């Protein structure tokens, strides 16, 4: 429980816009907190997914494609933020396990 409470601020911060990931990484640099690291990896993955999908969807210039992408990313982001606030380490659906694997060097 102490690990969760001490890492909760960095975990929640990581979900705030794109810059929050980097702020949380600096907050977690000295006292490597496993809870914060988990959520930093999730938030970084979500941010990169958002950028990647945005670059692809931008080529179509269609609201019929853009709106579902925004909803998809928002739902995953909301899930990640809620688990951080509740003190849980549940990966986001569909991609969360991959984020943990891809960014395992971030601790």
């Amino acid at each position: 429980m102490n690990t969760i409470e001490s890492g909760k601020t960095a975990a929640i911060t990581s979900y705030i816009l794109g810059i929050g990931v980097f702020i949380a990484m600096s907050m977690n640099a000295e006292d490597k907190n496993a809870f914060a690291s988990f959520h930093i990896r999730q938030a970084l993955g979500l941010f990169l997914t958002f950028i990647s999908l945005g670059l692809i969807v931008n080529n179509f210039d269609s609201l019929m494609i853009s709106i579902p992408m925004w909803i998809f990313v928002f739902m995953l982001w909301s899930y990640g933020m809620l688990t951080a606030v509740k003190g849980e380490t549940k990966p986001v659906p569909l991609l969360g396990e991959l984020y943990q694997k891809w960014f395992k060097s971030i601790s």
Side-chain angles (χ1 to χ4, degrees):
M1 187 66 166
N2 191 20
T3 303
I4 292 172
E5 288 304 317
S6 63
K8 198 177 253 193
T9 303
I12 293 169
T13 301
S14 68
Y15 289 100
I16 299 172
L17 301 175
I19 194 81
V21 170
F22 302 106
I23 293 170
M25 287 170 101
S26 68
M27 291 170 68
N28 198 38
E30 284 186 30
D31 303 331
K32 303 286 186 194
N33 182 292
F35 179 74
S37 295
F38 175 85
H39 283 286
I40 289 169
R41 288 188 293 270
Q42 295 290 295
L44 177 61
L46 287 171
F47 177 66
L48 293 175
T49 299
F50 172 70
I51 296 297
S52 301
L53 287 175
L55 289 171
I56 294 167
V57 167
N58 187 40
N59 293 321
F60 295 101
D61 195 30
S62 167
L63 284 179
M64 295 295 288
I65 298 173
S66 299
I67 291 174
M69 185 222 50
W70 279 91
I71 292 170
F72 173 72
V73 172
F74 179 75
M75 296 294 285
L76 293 180
W77 175 85
S78 299
Y79 184 86
M81 176 67 97
L82 285 173
T83 58
V85 168
K86 291 181 356 184
E88 300 172 345
T89 54
K90 293 180 182 175
V92 295
L94 303 175
L95 301 169
E97 293 293 336
L98 293 172
Y99 296 156
Q100 292 302 310
K101 191 185 314 180
W102 293 339
F103 305 121
K104 64 183 169 210
S105 62
I106 297 174
S107 57

